[in-house]
Amino acid sequence: MRKLIAGMKISVDGKMEGPEGTADWVEAWSEDYGLTPQIDACLLGGGMYPGYENYWTALQNEPGTPAWITGTPPTPAELEWAGFIKQIPHYVLSNTLTTTLWPNTRFLRRLDEVKALKEQPGKDIYLVGGAKTTTSLIETGLVDELRVIVYPLIAGEGKALFATTERRHGLDLRKVEQLTNGRVRLIYAIS
């Protein structure tokens, strides 16, 4: 069975967004979790997908233009990721969205469709987010692994990654890696 692997960039106090609604401490939105060689699909929630699609479409179409989230031109890693995701299928868990700009995108309406996706042959699946989708899929036991990049700051007010988690979930630490600029990458299996 394919693994569903969530990847998130957070502050030390577990925030994925600050009080302004952005994670202004994240310099780039590239895939920095080491997942690219082992995945062949991405899964997102309906709340996150429109912004994700717009952001990466802009980078694909105008690679020299500053990105609206960061205000800076895309990094080489972001351009590499933009090329990669153009080639792989995306699945969007949503009861409301019906249209997409990307031809290789399919909408999933129910959690059992996520389970069926995991049972199909292929490489692992990257759960890009958002927070509510990640939490609900963890709550239902569909997420196998959590990869977190922790930034060295306390965000204070803002949106916590696991704000809507209803019960405790055990994690088994698989790997810790120190990155540049005081960041740490953590890989957990979800038990």
Side-chain angles (χ1 to χ4, degrees):
M1 184 180 292
R2 301 161 85 177
K3 289 195 301 187
L4 183 58
I5 304 170
M8 297 287 170
K9 296 177 180 181
I10 63 171
S11 62
V12 169
D13 57 341
K15 301 298 189 320
M16 55 180 295
E17 293 177 359
E20 305 82 28
T22 62
D24 58 357
W25 56 84
V26 176
E27 315 85 28
W29 291 102
S30 45
E31 187 283 294
D32 300 318
Y33 310 102
L35 285 171
T36 304
Q38 75 184 77
I39 64 167
D40 64 0
C42 290
L43 173 65
L44 296 93
M48 182 179 187
Y49 184 74
Y52 173 91
E53 181 184 66
N54 289 337
Y55 180 80
W56 293 106
T57 298
L59 264 66
Q60 292 164 355
N61 294 340
E62 300 178 45
T65 303
W68 62 270
I69 292 177
T70 62
T72 60
T75 66
E78 284 178 310
L79 293 175
E80 182 180 335
W81 178 247
F84 178 76
I85 61 173
K86 197 174 192 176
Q87 301 170 29
I88 64 171
H90 282 68
Y91 299 89
V92 181
L93 185 60
S94 172
N95 290 318
T96 57
L97 294 180
T98 57
T99 61
T100 175
L101 299 173
W102 292 357
N104 207 7
T105 299
R106 184 174 146 228
F107 294 100
L108 306 178
R109 302 298 181 200
R110 299 179 319 275
L111 293 175
D112 64 328
E113 292 179 88
V114 176
K115 185 176 186 291
L117 178 63
K118 288 179 62 175
E119 292 170 350
Q120 293 176 4
K123 293 182 176 183
D124 294 332
I125 305 160
Y126 172 25
L127 174 55
V128 181
K132 287 181 184 177
T133 299
T134 300
T135 298
S136 70
L137 292 173
I138 288 172
E139 292 284 309
T140 57
L142 290 170
V143 179
D144 303 287
E145 188 173 291
L146 177 64
R147 295 189 183 196
V148 180
I149 295 178
V150 182
Y151 283 75
L153 85 140
I154 297 170
E157 290 186 31
K159 185 176 184 180
L161 175 57
F162 299 111
T164 61
T165 303
E166 295 178 7
R167 60 185 179 86
R168 183 185 304 201
H169 296 273
L171 302 175
D172 181 23
L173 182 62
R174 297 293 168 96
K175 186 174 181 182
V176 176
E177 184 178 356
Q178 185 172 347
L179 304 173
T180 59
N181 300 322
R183 298 172 302 145
V184 178
R185 180 169 41 212
L186 306 169
I187 300 175
Y188 292 100
I190 299 177
S191 45

